[in-house]
Amino acid sequence: MGIPGYARTCAGWTAGLLMLLSASPAPPVGAQPTAASETYDFTLSKGLLEFSRGRYQEAAKLFRDATAAKPRDVEAQDYLGQALLRLDDYAGAEQVYANLLTEFPTSARGFVGLGLSQIKLGKYQNALANLAAAETLSPDDPLIYYYQGLAYQGLKAYELSPPLFARAIKLSPDLEPSARYYTGVAYYEMGRVEEAEREFKAALAYGDPESQLSRSAREFLTERGAPRQPDEPRRWDLSLSVSEQYDTNVVLLPLGTQPSPDTGISDKDDYVTTLYARGEYRMIQTGPWTMGTSYGFFQSFHRELSGFDVQSHAPSAYLQRTLGPVFARVQYAFDYVEVGRAPYLIAQAVQPTFTIVEGRSFFTQLRFHYQYKNFRDAKFAGNSNRDGRNWLASVSQYMFFAEGEGNFRVGYTYDRDDTGGGSPVVATPGVQTNADWDYTGHRLSAGLDLPAIFTIKPSAAFEYYKQDYANPSSFSPTGTTRRKDEILFVTGSLSREIAGMFTVSAAYSYTRDQSNLTAFDYARSLYSISLSAKF
């Protein structure tokens, strides 16, 4: 990505400062300039001259001398950063502008220079954060919006860049050739062929026909003037994983449920092998619209408790629309679960989700969920008493750091199961009804993924889930106690990528359900080693 607009602006700064220097009045009679002041004035003036001639190596040396003579000078540090940018020393420029902002934390030019340095280094998220700070300080600077557009293109968020380039053009017509060119690139990548053609032609019309930018624009056009079709983004994804586990207390939890305690499965340990596969195909992925379908398959094999092997099939379909920084998605999900090769659960759900992007380092996700659950009696007698509807609403906040390699997240979820059991005053002990399963739940969650440390990526997650059941439970000795569960879940893992496609990981998770009814009170530890692949 070139920086023609930035060069023109710098040339303007150079010319203006040279005029100021040449027009500076003589010092008052009797006033003697210090040696440092003389050195600063001489080296800065000479540096600006070398800069205007395109001799950036010599200019950088002179600007360093000027900075040494007058360390707290914004001009010398700014021009040193600009010279280093033209020498492709982007890390050096980043350091110069970071130092400048340490001395002058409200310098808009410092934030702009730092943002540009980070764009050239591929640190697009950091660049956007610094450019946002510059926008607060200097909202009429066209370069801020121009560089924001380039940063979003670096992140392949092409739909977000054209409005920024348009704003840059409005504030500075000099930026029109390059801004129109990059707008064309954005439309080209989104598959909006006619709009891309219009922007490339405009870039050619407004720009120097012999410039590199104009040559690049012509390369996007065929001899007839229509742009080549971009390579179509891949429409499918596939992931596979196999895991070997040791479970200290086998408690089946397909889709967040467990069988009744009278099955005798709890308090037994076993070795388990699990297989999981998921594929996705996107029929539409043009501009702001994406429509696709996916299918997930899960299978567990218990070494001894083979009668409790779980198999699930989970097809889904979704439609997604991008609205600026908001991603709106609605999904239909179907789940069919078998336990011991017998039907256990059939569930259908509609799930609207809204993801709000906040500066590329933060995003908030709002999720809603309506699900109908149809439990089957084939394996567990009385299982169908749990048929019902679940309403769920959640909010999660994500924060990314270390160039997106790490993230921290927190969330809250409310859900309610309505099994249509009415409101009996007393339950009959040992006689299950659908009144046993109505509940209201509150879940708090937090998670942390760290960047790789010596190629190993650590992660951890925590959940606290409180369930208050609406009616007296038939599992209580007297039939008068309402069930209350407090579930604590903690997990940690270490993973390593192999050859960019495979990931090997080791994980440990601990679950503690503290229930006021003995039948549902349990603790469980799960140790696992997994191998995953993405295609």
Side-chain angles (χ1 to χ4, degrees):
M1 289 182 247
I3 50 172
Y6 191 82
R8 274 192 293 274
T9 302
C10 290
W13 289 344
T14 303
L17 189 53
L18 284 171
M19 290 175 64
L20 286 172
L21 289 171
S22 64
S24 298
V29 176
Q32 297 296 323
T34 65
S37 177
E38 288 181 336
T39 301
Y40 169 79
D41 291 340
F42 175 75
T43 53
L44 182 63
S45 300
K46 191 171 180 181
L48 291 170
L49 184 61
E50 295 294 335
F51 189 97
S52 67
R53 293 173 175 174
R55 299 171 62 177
Y56 303 120
Q57 193 74 49
E58 293 81 356
K61 182 180 182 303
L62 291 162
F63 291 142
R64 286 190 191 278
D65 292 342
T67 301
K70 196 174 181 181
R72 289 182 53 82
D73 183 70
V74 173
E75 297 292 336
Q77 293 184 66
D78 184 28
Y79 281 114
L80 173 58
Q82 294 177 35
L84 293 175
L85 284 169
R86 282 153 183 76
L87 291 169
D88 296 338
D89 183 1
Y90 306 126
E94 181 186 33
Q95 186 60 55
V96 167
Y97 284 113
N99 292 341
L100 188 156
L101 287 167
T102 300
E103 295 288 341
F104 302 96
T106 59
S107 171
R109 287 164 65 176
F111 281 113
V112 172
L114 184 57
L116 176 57
S117 304
Q118 291 169 336
I119 289 172
K120 305 301 284 186
L121 290 168
K123 300 179 179 180
Y124 302 115
Q125 294 175 351
N126 289 353
L128 285 168
N130 286 307
L131 291 169
E135 183 180 355
T136 301
L137 295 164
S138 183
D140 294 328
D141 185 346
L143 291 177
I144 294 172
Y145 308 105
Y146 180 78
Y147 294 144
Q148 285 175 338
L150 294 184
Y152 279 122
Q153 290 204 349
L155 290 165
K156 301 189 185 304
Y158 297 108
E159 69 281 356
L160 301 180
S161 61
L164 292 164
F165 291 133
R167 188 169 183 182
I169 292 171
K170 184 176 180 181
L171 291 169
S172 175
D174 287 345
L175 290 171
E176 184 153 9
S178 55
R180 297 292 289 267
Y181 169 80
Y182 285 117
T183 302
V185 171
Y187 288 141
Y188 183 84
E189 293 293 340
M190 290 189 288
R192 295 163 64 173
V193 176
E194 293 183 359
E195 291 162 287
E197 177 184 1
R198 181 192 67 207
E199 296 300 324
F200 290 135
K201 288 182 175 179
L204 288 169
Y206 289 106
D208 178 357
E210 300 304 319
S211 69
Q212 179 59 47
L213 184 146
S214 294
R215 289 195 294 271
S216 297
R218 281 194 291 269
E219 288 177 3
F220 276 98
L221 303 172
T222 65
E223 293 180 358
R224 294 181 301 170
R228 298 191 307 266
Q229 291 291 337
D231 294 335
E232 184 178 4
R234 193 175 69 174
R235 292 182 175 271
W236 60 271
D237 296 298
L238 177 65
S239 61
L240 305 169
S241 69
V242 57
S243 177
E244 189 65 27
Q245 303 175 348
Y246 173 66
D247 192 340
T248 64
N249 184 355
V250 176
V251 181
L252 298 175
L253 296 169
L255 296 185
T257 67
Q258 64 186 88
S260 301
D262 55 10
T263 61
I265 191 173
S266 289
D267 301 320
K268 294 186 178 182
D269 65 330
D270 203 357
Y271 288 93
V272 187
T273 300
T274 66
L275 303 174
Y276 178 72
R278 183 184 183 278
E280 179 175 327
Y281 178 75
R282 294 171 289 278
M283 294 80 75
I284 297 175
Q285 49 181 5
T286 302
W289 291 99
T290 304
M291 184 171 73
T293 184
S294 68
Y295 172 74
F297 172 80
F298 173 83
Q299 176 72 62
S300 69
F301 299 99
H302 291 70
R303 189 77 52 85
E304 297 179 2
L305 302 171
S306 59
F308 298 99
D309 292 348
V310 175
Q311 182 180 110
S312 73
H313 304 264
S316 68
Y318 69 88
L319 180 66
Q320 180 172 299
R321 174 76 159 90
T322 302
L323 301 165
V326 179
F327 296 82
R329 177 187 179 111
V330 61
Q331 175 172 291
Y332 166 77
F334 179 87
D335 289 281
Y336 174 77
V337 181
E338 290 185 351
V339 175
R341 288 162 292 283
Y344 176 78
L345 172 66
I346 298 173
Q348 301 182 69
V350 177
Q351 302 169 341
T353 303
F354 301 91
T355 303
I356 304 167
V357 179
E358 302 149 354
R360 286 293 175 180
S361 292
F362 297 86
F363 73 80
T364 301
Q365 188 171 83
L366 305 173
R367 184 166 66 95
F368 305 92
H369 168 108
Y370 170 78
Q371 182 185 51
Y372 175 72
K373 296 184 285 190
N374 180 10
F375 289 88
R376 312 308 293 266
D377 292 328
K379 182 68 177 178
F380 306 111
N383 205 36
S384 60
N385 287 325
R386 302 164 69 181
D387 291 355
R389 295 167 174 79
N390 179 267
W391 287 267
L392 178 150
S394 72
V395 57
S396 300
Q397 177 69 54
Y398 292 77
M399 179 187 74
F400 287 87
F401 56 90
E403 296 303 310
E405 292 295 319
N407 73 80
F408 173 71
R409 55 200 180 275
V410 293
Y412 167 76
T413 301
Y414 168 86
D415 78 306
R416 183 168 72 86
D417 252 16
D418 180 4
T419 58
S423 303
V425 177
V426 178
T428 303
V431 180
Q432 298 182 44
T433 70
N434 52 1
D436 286 323
W437 304 101
D438 280 345
Y439 76 83
T440 298
H442 303 271
R443 187 192 305 260
L444 297 175
S445 62
L448 176 66
D449 294 338
L450 294 175
I453 303 172
F454 299 110
T455 73
I456 304 296
K457 294 191 69 172
S459 66
F462 165 85
E463 286 188 3
Y464 171 76
Y465 187 27
K466 183 177 181 181
Q467 292 179 314
D468 293 321
Y469 284 77
N471 302 307
S473 175
S474 67
F475 294 95
S476 67
T478 62
T480 58
T481 302
R482 295 185 181 183
R483 176 183 166 191
K484 296 180 183 295
D485 285 31
E486 294 186 23
I487 305 170
L488 177 69
F489 176 79
V490 180
T491 186
S493 69
L494 299 172
S495 62
R496 179 181 180 182
E497 287 189 3
I498 303 174
M501 184 174 68
F502 297 97
T503 301
V504 61
S505 61
Y508 168 75
S509 64
Y510 174 77
T511 306
R512 178 72 173 95
D513 187 344
Q514 294 178 304
S515 178
N516 64 336
L517 300 182
T518 304
F520 296 97
D521 190 273
Y522 73 88
R524 179 192 194 194
S525 291
L526 189 66
Y527 305 84
S528 65
I529 297 177
S530 305
L531 177 65
S532 305
K534 291 184 178 181
F535 305 93

